Amino acid sequence: MKDRVPTKPGRVKLTPVSGQANTYDMVRADQPTQEGTPLGKATLFDSGAEQAVFGDATGDHTPAEAFAALPNRIEPIGTIKTTVRTDLGDKWLLCNGDTIYGSEYRELVDLLYKKGGPFSKNFAEVNLWDGGISSQLNFIKYINGYFVVGGQRRVNNTYYASIAYAASLDGEWISLDLWSGSSSTTLNDITYANGYWVACGRRYYNTTNYAYIAYSTSISTGWATKELWYGGSNSYASEAKGVEYGNDGYWVVCGTAYGDNDNPSICRIAYAASPYDTWTNKSLYSSGNTDDTLYCIKYANGYWVAAGMAYSSGYSTSIFYTTSPSGTWTRKQLWKGLNSGANNAIHRLKYINGYWIACGEYYTSSYACNAMISYATTPSDTWTNKIVWSSTTTSSEGSRGEAVYDIVYTEGRWVVCGHAFNITNRKKGRLAYTSSFDNEWMLEDLWTDVDHNGGLSGIIYTDGVFGICGQYAPNKGHLWYSIDAIALPIVEGDFYAYIKAKEGFSEPVVELTLVVNTYVMPSFNGLTVTCPDGTTLHGTSDKVEQTVTFTFTVNQYGTYTAEVDNGKEGINSGSVTFAEGGPTTQTISV
């Protein structure tokens, strides 16, 4: 731009406006030798400049806004640069793997999370139940304002069907035992609807297995129990596996019933209008085999759907569906495996984003297993089977089950949890995610060390936080939840790598040296240095009756005041001021 160069600075010509008193037209009469560049949008901030800074040219931005936006436009948050310098300032962080928190670095945490996937945030771990041999969590849910987990909790030789609940994942967890029994007693599911909490599971007592429910109007107290059916030994157990309440006004429980001498097994449901009413038992299927069972049940979009294993010339995972629990249930096979029924199962059934989704495991030989999902838009449609991951075992290593146990959808991704096996035949908690069922699944293990066993049985996502439950270490009922923190990238080399962490240009890094010399008396209570911004530095010494030197590295210009507390001798002080362009080392003698 060019200045205007007048020969008569400030001169103007005033011409009266006809018919308007005291009103004039004014034009410059300064006789310039150089007109100069006109001031206006075209010269100060035209559409091209606006497009370059903001990515659009709406005409609404001002030059002041452009100057404010330039630092982050030139080097946006998330930019990584390598340098031999160490003075990039307070807007940059060293790429060394340190943990940063969203409360301080919101945009950078979100960017790293988006880049790294749903499990890139740090996870906190809670050991809820340590049962020595067999404590585990079978599910996690967020219902009626509570996070709730449940499963088997062991204390000495007593086994409890238990829940634990909290108002937040990082809050106080309260455990509550719903019923007790011996070895295989456990809790499998819980839900809340129509004013009632209802949980279901198994009670093993006096060599008999019972399909049990517990119900209450409050999660914390007043639980009553009810037996729905019984039969079977410890190996072949009658059991309630899933519970659901439908918009048609029915409570429905699904599970397994065994007849005399542990044979045959029956895919069974029970339904009632209220938990405390008499429940009606209904058998859906029995092949005469010992492996027929229902693992889960869901009501959505006008359908009741139960899922599990139904033997039919092979171990077939199947669903049963109906529009009324008292009506006819139609069976549909999803996949057929080649090993025992317990290893060809549907563990969880969900209805998400217009899809019915079954999660389970699928054996293709006596040792090769796949973690599987199957999905359809309506229960009667053809279901599409998708393998999420597969075992890597050989026939000599024996059977190792791989399974998907639960699924959620969040932020454009499908996320599942389950278990896989490591090289020492121990289960590891596995997570996987994809943006589409047709795309590749990305795998990540919550633990990989060979000394730990277990698996992941449930996953939820609410308010930006994952909650995951299972068994770990082994035989501990464990909970994991993501926290609003993430590790910085690690960039190695013969240089320093920094990542832009905050908006704006960095303040220049100032390294100043403040030296405080003081004579320490016997009653010395310490040195306090007050910095220009009000923060304080402190020094102590075990030396007595001699001069001690304290050296501080500081980074602010301004006045520093040192106070020495000598107890009964009083407080002595001194100060010094660092100025830009002045000495970088100064001394206070007190």
Side-chain angles (χ1 to χ4, degrees):
M1 297 182 74
K2 294 182 178 180
D3 285 330
R4 186 180 180 89
V5 182
T7 58
K8 307 294 183 183
R11 179 182 290 182
V12 297
K13 179 180 179 181
L14 301 177
T15 303
V17 177
S18 178
Q20 298 184 38
N22 300 320
T23 304
Y24 301 87
D25 289 325
M26 183 177 74
V27 295
R28 289 177 174 177
D30 55 357
Q31 301 176 17
T33 59
Q34 179 174 280
E35 288 287 343
T37 305
L39 298 180
K41 178 177 176 61
T43 57
L44 289 178
F45 194 48
D46 67 6
S47 296
E50 188 176 23
Q51 178 78 29
V53 175
F54 293 102
D56 60 62
T58 63
D60 295 332
H61 297 104
T62 66
E65 292 171 333
F67 283 120
L70 273 176
N72 204 43
R73 185 66 177 171
I74 295 170
E75 293 174 325
I77 290 176
T79 299
I80 293 179
K81 65 165 57 175
T82 56
T83 179
V84 295
R85 301 179 66 93
T86 59
D87 58 352
L88 269 63
D90 58 344
K91 302 297 190 292
W92 296 81
L93 296 175
L94 190 64
C95 294
N96 59 2
D98 281 355
T99 296
I100 59 171
Y101 293 85
S103 57
E104 185 173 3
Y105 300 101
R106 175 75 277 145
E107 187 173 344
L108 181 57
V109 167
D110 291 344
L111 285 170
L112 293 173
Y113 173 64
K114 184 177 181 180
K115 170 68 175 174
F119 313 124
S120 56
K121 286 189 178 180
N122 292 12
F123 277 85
E125 180 182 329
V126 182
N127 179 17
L128 286 179
W129 303 333
D130 186 352
I133 296 179
S134 55
S135 287
Q136 64 182 32
L137 299 178
N138 295 328
F139 61 82
I140 181 170
K141 295 188 174 183
Y142 180 70
I143 42 179
N144 198 34
Y146 289 99
F147 293 92
V148 188
V149 297
Q152 180 184 81
R153 189 177 78 90
R154 181 181 178 181
V155 180
N156 298 320
N157 289 321
T158 301
Y159 296 77
Y160 295 94
S162 303
I163 61 170
Y165 61 93
S168 63
L169 287 168
D170 60 351
E172 178 186 4
W173 285 83
I174 300 172
S175 292
L176 185 67
D177 302 322
L178 302 188
W179 65 80
S180 63
S182 50
S183 60
S184 54
T185 296
T186 191
L187 197 72
N188 292 318
D189 200 7
I190 194 171
T191 193
Y192 177 86
N194 205 29
Y196 283 97
W197 292 90
V198 180
C200 72
R202 180 201 303 190
R203 188 188 186 206
Y204 183 54
Y205 182 71
N206 285 341
T207 71
T208 300
N209 278 284
Y210 299 85
Y212 242 52
I213 65 166
Y215 57 92
S216 176
T217 57
S218 169
I219 194 171
S220 60
T221 188
W223 287 83
T225 58
K226 183 184 287 285
E227 171 199 318
L228 298 186
W229 63 83
Y230 70 93
S233 66
N234 190 27
S235 298
Y236 298 96
S238 289
E239 184 171 7
K241 288 281 195 176
V243 59
E244 181 79 337
Y245 181 80
N247 292 341
D248 56 359
Y250 283 105
W251 291 91
V252 183
V253 170
C254 74
T256 310
Y258 277 86
D260 295 335
N261 300 317
D262 295 337
N263 194 35
S265 62
I266 302 167
C267 295
R268 176 169 287 180
I269 66 162
Y271 59 91
S274 175
Y276 56 79
D277 283 350
T278 299
W279 288 66
T280 301
N281 291 337
K282 185 180 182 70
S283 296
L284 302 189
Y285 182 85
S286 180
S287 65
N289 196 277
T290 59
D291 293 308
D292 299 323
T293 188
L294 297 176
Y295 286 95
C296 46
I297 190 164
K298 182 68 180 176
Y299 179 86
N301 206 27
Y303 285 99
W304 285 97
V305 183
M309 210 293 296
Y311 188 90
S312 177
S313 301
Y315 296 97
S316 304
T317 56
S318 299
I319 63 164
F320 299 82
Y321 62 92
T322 186
T323 56
S324 172
S326 62
T328 300
W329 291 71
T330 302
R331 174 176 170 263
K332 177 182 281 290
Q333 177 182 300
L334 301 191
W335 65 81
K336 181 182 289 188
L338 300 177
N339 204 346
S340 65
N343 293 321
N344 291 278
I346 296 174
H347 297 295
R348 195 85 77 215
L349 189 66
K350 293 285 189 72
Y351 184 75
I352 307 173
N353 283 5
Y355 287 103
W356 289 92
I357 308 169
C359 306
E361 54 193 299
Y362 167 44
Y363 268 83
T364 54
S365 72
S366 60
Y367 60 89
C369 186
N370 304 285
M372 177 78 83
I373 65 166
S374 187
Y375 60 93
T377 54
T378 63
S380 59
D381 283 349
T382 300
W383 288 61
T384 301
N385 297 331
K386 289 288 184 179
I387 294 174
V388 181
W389 67 83
S390 300
S391 62
T392 58
T393 58
T394 63
S395 58
S396 63
E397 293 174 310
S399 172
R400 296 180 182 177
E402 315 279 322
V404 174
Y405 269 82
D406 204 354
I407 186 169
V408 294
Y409 183 81
T410 171
E411 298 181 358
R413 296 185 179 103
W414 296 98
V415 183
V416 301
C417 73
H419 67 248
F421 277 81
N422 61 26
I423 59 174
T424 59
N425 205 25
R426 288 180 177 269
K427 292 180 184 177
K428 52 188 176 183
R430 173 157 289 181
L431 302 162
Y433 66 93
T434 185
S435 58
S436 169
F437 292 146
D438 294 326
N439 294 345
E440 179 185 2
W441 288 82
M442 307 302 293
L443 308 181
E444 184 160 333
D445 294 328
L446 202 54
W447 68 87
T448 58
D449 54 295
V450 297
D451 295 327
H452 290 99
N453 198 9
L456 305 178
S457 55
I459 185 170
I460 59 171
Y461 182 85
T462 180
D463 294 333
V465 177
F466 283 102
I468 304 169
C469 74
Q471 188 184 51
Y472 177 68
N475 305 316
K476 295 181 179 181
H478 250 60
L479 168 73
W480 297 262
Y481 60 90
S482 57
I483 59 176
D484 194 19
I486 201 165
L488 290 168
I490 298 175
V491 181
E492 298 178 340
D494 297 328
F495 46 75
Y496 300 103
Y498 291 86
I499 188 168
K500 184 72 174 294
K502 290 185 176 181
E503 289 186 351
F505 289 122
S506 294
E507 294 294 327
V509 176
V510 179
E511 289 193 3
L512 307 171
T513 302
L514 174 64
V515 178
V516 179
N517 296 318
T518 183
Y519 187 81
V520 175
M521 297 183 179
S523 55
F524 177 70
N525 288 326
L527 164 70
T528 299
V529 176
T530 303
C531 303
D533 64 355
T535 58
T536 55
L537 307 170
H538 300 276
T540 60
S541 176
D542 55 3
K543 297 178 181 179
V544 178
E545 294 185 343
Q546 57 184 294
T547 298
V548 176
T549 298
F550 298 90
T551 302
F552 302 96
T553 299
V554 295
N555 55 17
Q556 302 172 47
Y557 291 116
T559 300
Y560 292 79
T561 300
E563 290 188 345
V564 177
D565 184 354
N566 281 314
K568 64 182 181 180
E569 304 295 337
I571 295 176
N572 298 318
S573 65
S575 62
V576 71
T577 299
F578 286 95
E580 289 190 51
T584 58
T585 299
Q586 299 213 56
T587 301
I588 303 174
S589 295
V590 182

